[in-house]
Amino acid sequence: MKRELLEEEMSLTVGKEAITLSSLMTFLAIGVVSVICYKFFNTEKGKASLPGGFSFTWG
């Protein structure tokens, strides 16, 4: 059932989707960087490759 919002209800509506999406992307980026750092510091020999042609080899 759809109905139009009253002026008072419209003034109470706040957009929080952008904050939620940006915090989700931030946690995702931190997770990816954490995994790469874990690979660097806890393996003697290995290789990590990222999209875009970036690859790291050690050992």
Side-chain angles (χ1 to χ4, degrees):
M1 179 167 128
K2 291 184 178 181
R3 68 176 180 87
E4 285 190 31
L5 294 176
L6 301 173
E7 290 293 326
E8 185 177 310
E9 292 172 327
M10 282 190 217
S11 67
L12 295 175
T13 304
V14 181
K16 296 182 181 177
E17 293 84 10
I19 295 172
T20 304
L21 184 61
S22 63
S23 64
L24 176 69
M25 294 300 289
T26 301
F27 286 122
L28 182 65
I30 290 171
V32 169
V33 170
S34 298
V35 168
I36 292 171
C37 288
Y38 177 80
K39 281 181 139 184
F40 277 137
F41 291 116
N42 289 327
T43 59
E44 295 176 14
K45 199 174 183 183
K47 179 180 178 183
S49 59
L50 299 174
F54 297 103
S55 72
F56 304 96
T57 307
W58 63 97

